[in-house]
Amino acid sequence: MTTKDTDTDASTEERTLAELRQASEAAEDAARKAKAALLERAVKDAMASTKYGHLSAVAREADIASQYLRDLIEKDHPGWLDRAAEERKAAKAATPRGRKTARAA
C-alpha cells in the first residue's frame, strides 16, 4: 500500500457514512451532467455533416454505439437521418461515373 492509498483510507475512515453518501451523490450528479453534455455534443457533431461514415466516426470518438447515437438523433430531430441519406444518395448520383479522364503527362 502506498502512502497515497493510506492517506485516502485514513480520510475515508474519518468521514461519516452521511458525508460519504453525500460525496457519492454529488459525484453521481456530476457524472450524469457530464454524460448528458457528451451525448448532446455528440448529436450536434454528428449532425454537422451528412457524409458517409461521419456519424460512426463521431460515435467512436464519443465512445458510444453508433446505433445509440442514431436513436438520439432520431428522437431529437425526427427525419434527419432519412434526409441525410437522401443527400448522400443525391450527391452520389451527381458524381460522374465511368472512366476517369487521362491525366496530362
Side-chain angles (χ1 to χ4, degrees), residues 65-87:
S66 295
Q67 187 58 52
Y68 182 50
L69 183 53
R70 285 182 185 90
D71 291 344
L72 291 173
I73 291 171
E74 191 60 31
K75 180 180 144 227
D76 294 342
H77 306 277
W80 185 86
L81 293 169
D82 292 333
R83 288 190 301 276
E86 289 171 8
E87 283 183 29

Side-chain angles (χ1 to χ4, degrees), residues 35 38-39 42-43 45-46 51-70:
K35 182 71 170 193
L38 170 70
L39 296 177
V43 167
D45 287 2
K51 288 184 178 180
Y52 182 80
H54 179 73
L55 185 142
S56 296
V58 170
R60 273 192 305 279
E61 184 177 352
D63 197 28
I64 58 177
S66 295
Q67 187 58 52
Y68 182 50
L69 183 53
R70 285 182 185 90

Side-chain angles (χ1 to χ4, degrees), residues 21-37:
R21 186 190 72 244
Q22 187 177 15
S24 172
E25 289 170 354
E28 286 178 21
D29 187 45
R32 268 193 297 280
K33 288 178 181 176
K35 182 71 170 193

Side-chain angles (χ1 to χ4, degrees), residues 3-42:
T3 304
K4 185 177 180 183
D5 292 337
T6 306
D7 292 343
T8 304
D9 290 342
S11 68
T12 301
E13 290 178 13
E14 293 171 5
R15 296 168 75 181
T16 66
L17 288 176
E19 291 170 333
L20 292 170
R21 186 190 72 244
Q22 187 177 15
S24 172
E25 289 170 354
E28 286 178 21
D29 187 45
R32 268 193 297 280
K33 288 178 181 176
K35 182 71 170 193
L38 170 70
L39 296 177
E40 183 179 324
R41 178 64 184 267

